[in-house]
Amino acid sequence: MAVATREQAPAAADRGVWSWITTVDHKRIGIMYAVAAFIFFLVGGFEALLIRTQLAGPNGTVLSAEAYNQIFTMHGLTMVFAVIMPIAAAFQNYFVPLQIGARDVAFPRINAFAFWLFFFSALFLYTSFLFGGAPDGAWVGYAPLSTQLTEYVRMDYYSVGAQLLGVASLAGSINFIATIFTMRAPGMSLMRMPVFVWMTVVTSFLLILSLPVIGVGLWQLLFDRNFGTLFYAAQAQGDPLLWQHLFWIFGHPEVYVLILPAMGIVSEILPVMSRKPLFGYAFVVFSGIAIGFLGFGVWAHHMFTAGLGPVAEAGFGLATMLIAIPTGVKIFNWIGTTWGGRLKLTTPMLFSLGFISMFVIGGLSGVTHSIVPADTQQHDSYYIVAHFHYVLFGGAVLGYMAGAYYWFPKWTGKMLSETIGKWHFWITLIGFNLTFAPQHILGLDGMPRRTYRYDAGLGWDGWNLMSTIGSYLIAVGVLVFIWNIIRSWRNGEPAGNDPWDGRTLEWTTSSPPPVHNFDEVPVVHHVDDFWYRKYGIDEDGRAVKMPEVSGGALTVDTDTGGEDGDADAHDIHMPSPSYFPIIASAGVVILGAGLVFISSGAIGFGLLALGAIVSLWGFMGWAGEPITKEAH
Amino acid sequence: MSTSTEHLHIDPTEKRWMIASVGLLLIFFAAVTVAGFMLGIQVPTRERRVDPNTVAEQPPWSEPGVREIVPGEEYEVYVLAHRFSFTPNEIEVPAGAKVTFYVTSTDVQHGFKLQDTNVNFMALPGQVSKLSTTFEKPGVYPYICTEYCGLGHAVMAGAVTVTEAP
């Protein structure tokens, strides 16, 4: 039966651009997320270089204040919404179904819709440079500054763009939760899931609970700007602080949304490269959940200078300290995992170790924010910039780089070059520290953030120059990475199914996996089930490689062999491609464009009408389309 | 879930780490409680609400600047923040005196950070922010806007000149 299944799986007739546009395959959507996120990483990185070039010396003249404000705002928006969130979604899309032994996600077309909506919204945000200027109210968009700049459509772009990106993330999150809760392979109880899958559950819930809050805030912002409402207008008894609360109730969980998937990736890589099980699996899982819960109770530490009063500030300060505990638990568990292991210092392992060490620095500087009097000193200084770059670059980006090196073989069937990878790692690590370590000193020395220039003679020149040199070094590292990808894609060593001696189910299938992922749905008996198929334990408690079992390594489960539960089914039905998700998402983005220009009269209403028609076409067609079409 | 106990087995080493973590938490908790409520550490506080439309016309902000409460010992300073300057942008107080700053904004959000002191707070339209400090040494202490407020944010600054104690 197994042979028949293999042969009758959907043929690989899916080539060309059209097949990518209409694809609902979670692996292809994952790859598109990765490519899009990497392109935006280059764009956001270019913006960062502009910022650092401007600040290389005192009284920089590369950018005007107007240009600088747009660029630093777009750098923040891009890196958060168009780089780190989608690169996490890329890994989640590709590997969550593989790691839980599923053939696809629960809602393949919603998955495609989420990707295209993200991609079009991010592009739409960038069209603002052509039509009236990019958002220039910082990525936090504090009111009333963001509501008062009514002479431009800039912050309308911010409001609508972030709203649409949020909808895309919501769609993705619901899909992941449904997939993980309903489509796990037989035997894969929740406490046998890989940690990466667990962290996907946590981030998905964080997004579902936090995005509606900012969604409300962003609508209010749009209404304040265009329809004369006064939510944030202090001049009419509105409350500017309301925006800050709404933004950070979303904004702080968002930080964990950015970092938790990276923590999940590192929790996958460390056991494999240490040849030991993850130290304290349950603790790593529960501390991730605890971080998720506590993440909703710390938002006001972003607002300690706003005058909330001593009781609120003590409470939020305590909650901020509290969240350091589960985070610390994770760090100790990672160290415990490597402790006494026979480490394989491969590139993914180096990036993982880099992640841990840089994240510890960023985490510790974060704990200093929980001390209210210290926080008010650091507020909106470069110390904050240094802190969150240690968490989001030294943490998240290094973590996702580790994931890229770890899983590239599964994506392409080729290994990334280890030699070039190590160059990439060390250049990035040195460049990163050169860029952001001096910013701690600058911040404590009083340099405020979001200023396009600074005077000479304040003692800031040398540190800023060092920081700028570091940022160029990071750029060199990115170029090395690109070179590695291109070179390895063409002539990389073939990877085989299991290049790292992996522990999780994605390594049981071919590289790249077939469209239906698994010929036979695996049955799971342990955490790290695949490892237990390969290794036994001798009397001394040491792992011993078991003899290779050809073909029969995976338990055949006839009851789940076919999607329809028919034990006699000989072929696997995968969902058919559909072009309705891309049409629906394009329609929604056109609707958004209409909202941005709603104050401009006919253009706005025209776009709204067009968007309504296109999205209706997309959604109606989608609703009327059977999931699996018979032969085309 | 008959096998769940097997998977939730907790290694003694892990248990020790857990106890250590909870212990750390309790120490942190005690430290903050002591610092916040017994040492009376001062944090930025909203003093009161005002109407940003009229605040500049009514006392005390109709005449912003320094008020001498007790000569050489206690001073109050009223500062208005607006795009992109502070009124006043020159302040003079003697060293050793307790100086209390009352700052509000007439337009968008601003910050008020007095370099080398504990004073750093937001100046929001509609509310007055208040903090006290004592300048021990004479000299010039710049104050800058720390909350991004638009095009002129980088140049929004003033300075306190601290004179020798009388």
Side-chain angles (χ1 to χ4, degrees):
Chain A
M1 188 191 119
V3 176
T5 308
R6 223 169 265 136
E7 281 170 356
Q8 292 182 20
D14 319 303
R15 290 183 166 275
V17 178
W18 183 248
S19 73
W20 285 87
I21 287 173
T22 59
T23 188
V24 292
D25 177 4
H26 71 96
K27 295 181 290 298
R28 286 186 158 204
I29 290 171
I31 288 172
M32 290 195 293
Y33 263 116
V35 171
F38 192 70
I39 291 169
F40 283 113
F41 180 61
L42 298 181
V43 175
F46 178 67
E47 288 161 348
L49 288 182
L50 282 177
I51 291 170
R52 281 318 317 168
T53 309
Q54 163 76 7
L55 295 176
N59 301 312
T61 52
V62 180
L63 300 172
S64 65
E66 194 183 12
Y68 183 87
N69 292 347
Q70 293 175 52
I71 284 179
F72 86 73
T73 302
M74 287 303 284
H75 168 74
L77 285 173
T78 306
M79 288 304 191
V80 169
F81 290 105
V83 177
I84 302 188
M85 284 171 79
I87 195 66
F91 288 118
Q92 290 167 339
N93 252 298
Y94 203 105
F95 290 106
V96 164
L98 284 169
Q99 289 197 322
I100 63 173
R103 292 212 161 106
D104 206 329
V105 290
F107 308 120
R109 287 178 298 181
I110 288 184
N111 205 18
F113 172 75
F115 166 73
W116 290 111
L117 185 57
F118 140 70
F119 185 60
F120 290 147
S121 309
L123 284 181
F124 166 69
L125 208 47
Y126 268 91
T127 61
S128 62
F129 278 109
L130 305 174
F131 305 107
D136 56 354
W139 92 282
V140 296
Y142 271 15
L145 178 69
S146 53
T147 57
Q148 289 200 348
L149 296 176
T150 44
E151 64 272 36
Y152 299 116
V153 291
R154 292 176 174 177
M155 291 309 281
D156 295 318
Y157 265 106
Y158 165 83
S159 166
V160 174
Q163 187 81 262
L164 294 178
L165 289 162
V167 173
S169 286
L170 274 179
S173 304
I174 289 164
N175 192 13
F176 288 132
I177 289 174
T179 305
I180 294 167
F181 283 167
T182 63
M183 295 177 67
R184 299 192 307 278
M188 179 162 282
S189 61
L190 288 176
M191 291 311 284
R192 287 178 188 165
M193 295 198 307
V195 175
F196 179 65
V197 177
W198 259 115
M199 292 306 110
T200 303
V201 174
V202 176
T203 52
S204 299
F205 273 105
L206 283 177
L207 283 167
I208 283 182
L209 295 173
S210 67
L211 280 168
V213 181
I214 190 69
V216 168
L218 289 166
W219 280 122
Q220 291 180 341
L221 185 66
L222 191 79
F223 279 35
D224 264 18
R225 291 177 55 80
N226 291 294
F227 305 120
T229 59
L230 301 158
F231 293 109
Y232 306 123
Q235 277 73 7
Q237 313 301 315
D239 191 354
L241 261 187
L242 174 64
W243 169 265
Q244 298 187 17
H245 281 294
L246 291 178
F247 184 85
W248 288 115
I249 290 173
F250 152 78
H252 204 84
E254 170 72 10
V255 175
Y256 298 106
V257 167
L258 302 176
I259 193 77
L260 283 174
M263 289 178 164
I265 291 172
V266 168
S267 306
E268 294 298 310
I269 294 172
L270 287 172
V272 170
M273 300 302 171
S274 307
R275 295 179 250 208
K276 277 177 66 192
L278 184 67
F279 183 83
Y281 168 86
F283 276 77
V284 175
V285 169
F286 283 121
S287 61
I289 298 172
I291 290 173
F293 272 106
L294 292 173
F296 279 99
V298 297
W299 79 86
H301 71 211
H302 297 268
M303 306 160 55
F304 278 162
T305 63
L308 303 174
V311 175
E313 297 191 1
F316 280 104
L318 270 177
T320 307
M321 286 182 191
L322 203 67
I323 208 163
I325 305 264
T327 316
V329 167
K330 273 182 184 282
I331 289 164
F332 281 121
N333 277 303
W334 291 327
I335 295 170
T337 305
T338 55
W339 197 275
R342 285 184 299 132
L343 304 192
K344 291 185 277 188
L345 286 176
T346 55
T347 313
M349 183 64 166
L350 286 178
F351 272 102
S352 301
L353 296 175
F355 167 93
I356 297 173
S357 43
M358 294 303 107
F359 180 77
V360 165
I361 298 175
L364 286 177
S365 64
V367 176
T368 66
H369 301 149
S370 67
I371 320 288
V372 180
D375 179 90
T376 56
Q377 290 294 300
Q378 299 150 359
H379 184 83
D380 266 353
S381 74
Y382 260 86
Y383 186 88
I384 303 291
V385 179
H387 157 69
F388 70 71
H389 279 95
Y390 264 87
V391 175
L392 294 182
F393 193 111
V397 172
L398 291 189
Y400 295 120
M401 287 289 184
Y405 276 90
Y406 182 60
W407 278 321
F408 186 86
K410 188 52 66 180
W411 277 338
T412 60
K414 307 264 181 68
M415 303 295 287
L416 279 171
S417 159
E418 279 290 307
T419 318
I420 306 175
K422 280 168 186 160
W423 276 100
H424 173 207
F425 170 72
W426 287 109
I427 292 172
T428 306
L429 191 76
I430 293 168
F432 162 73
N433 279 292
L434 205 55
T435 309
F436 295 109
Q439 295 185 0
H440 290 110
I441 300 165
L442 281 171
L444 292 178
D445 207 21
M447 182 170 171
R449 63 191 284 213
R450 297 179 179 139
T451 48
Y452 79 105
R453 58 176 286 286
Y454 53 94
D455 289 326
L458 293 167
W460 298 343
D461 310 5
W463 298 119
N464 270 302
L465 183 62
M466 191 191 279
S467 183
T468 302
I469 292 169
S471 68
Y472 280 92
L473 204 52
I474 295 177
V476 173
V478 173
L479 291 179
V480 172
F481 184 47
I482 295 174
W483 179 39
N484 197 354
I485 292 176
I486 294 173
R487 192 183 158 284
S488 304
W489 206 319
R490 287 195 185 145
N491 324 307
E493 280 178 54
N497 290 1
D498 182 20
W500 308 112
D501 198 7
R503 313 174 75 88
T504 39
L505 291 176
E506 76 268 31
W507 305 111
T508 62
T509 184
S510 61
S511 306
V515 177
H516 52 282
N517 291 354
F518 301 98
D519 292 337
E520 294 135 21
V521 171
V523 176
V524 176
H525 303 282
H526 298 276
V527 182
D528 295 338
D529 197 65
F530 184 41
W531 195 82
Y532 284 102
R533 292 169 204 265
K534 295 186 289 190
Y535 291 91
I537 309 280
D538 69 9
E539 304 89 64
D540 301 333
R542 272 184 298 205
V544 184
K545 186 126 186 153
M546 293 197 293
E548 205 72 41
V549 188
S550 61
L554 294 177
T555 314
V556 179
D557 189 297
T558 47
D559 288 339
T560 52
E563 290 284 275
D564 50 7
D566 179 355
D568 293 322
H570 283 279
D571 56 347
I572 301 164
H573 290 286
M574 297 306 292
S576 304
S578 169
Y579 51 82
F580 289 116
I582 191 174
I583 291 171
S585 59
V588 172
V589 173
I590 297 169
L591 265 176
L595 279 176
V596 167
F597 290 100
I598 194 139
S599 298
S600 319
I603 305 170
F605 288 108
L607 284 167
L608 277 179
L610 180 64
I613 293 166
V614 175
S615 51
L616 263 181
W617 171 29
F619 286 121
M620 296 301 281
W622 179 344
E625 183 186 44
I627 292 169
T628 309
K629 295 195 193 90
E630 294 309 317
H632 300 277
Chain B
M1 294 293 285
S2 59
T3 53
S4 63
T5 45
E6 169 206 341
H7 290 285
L8 286 173
H9 165 75
I10 297 167
D11 188 85
T13 326
E14 288 175 29
K15 198 174 270 174
R16 278 197 289 278
W17 277 115
M18 185 173 71
I19 293 166
S21 315
V22 174
L24 265 179
L25 173 63
L26 292 175
I27 294 170
F28 280 167
F29 198 87
V32 174
T33 313
V34 169
F37 295 102
M38 293 171 72
L39 301 181
I41 285 178
Q42 191 192 15
V43 295
T45 310
R46 177 166 73 201
E47 193 235 353
R48 66 186 134 115
R49 286 189 169 279
V50 289
D51 182 350
N53 300 308
T54 56
V55 66
E57 283 114 55
Q58 289 168 355
W61 275 280
S62 50
E63 288 174 55
V66 184
R67 304 276 192 286
E68 199 172 58
I69 308 298
V70 181
E73 284 179 25
E74 201 177 337
Y75 293 80
E76 286 180 353
V77 183
Y78 293 87
V79 181
L80 274 180
H82 38 80
R83 305 172 76 193
F84 296 102
S85 62
F86 292 104
T87 312
N89 58 9
E90 298 282 342
I91 295 168
E92 197 175 303
V93 290
K98 182 187 176 196
V99 186
T100 306
F101 291 89
Y102 296 86
V103 186
T104 189
S105 161
T106 55
D107 41 39
V108 301
Q109 71 274 10
H110 294 286
F112 182 84
K113 182 180 192 187
L114 196 50
Q115 303 282 37
D116 299 328
T117 71
N118 63 326
V119 178
N120 181 15
F121 48 65
M122 278 184 216
L124 293 168
Q127 75 171 45
V128 178
S129 299
K130 172 194 168 189
L131 262 184
S132 302
T133 194
T134 303
F135 299 95
E136 301 294 347
K137 286 184 199 152
V140 178
Y141 295 76
Y143 49 90
I144 56 172
C145 176
T146 50
E147 208 62 56
Y148 173 67
C149 60
L151 280 181
H153 171 56
V155 296
M156 188 168 163
V160 176
T161 306
V162 178
T163 55
E164 292 285 347

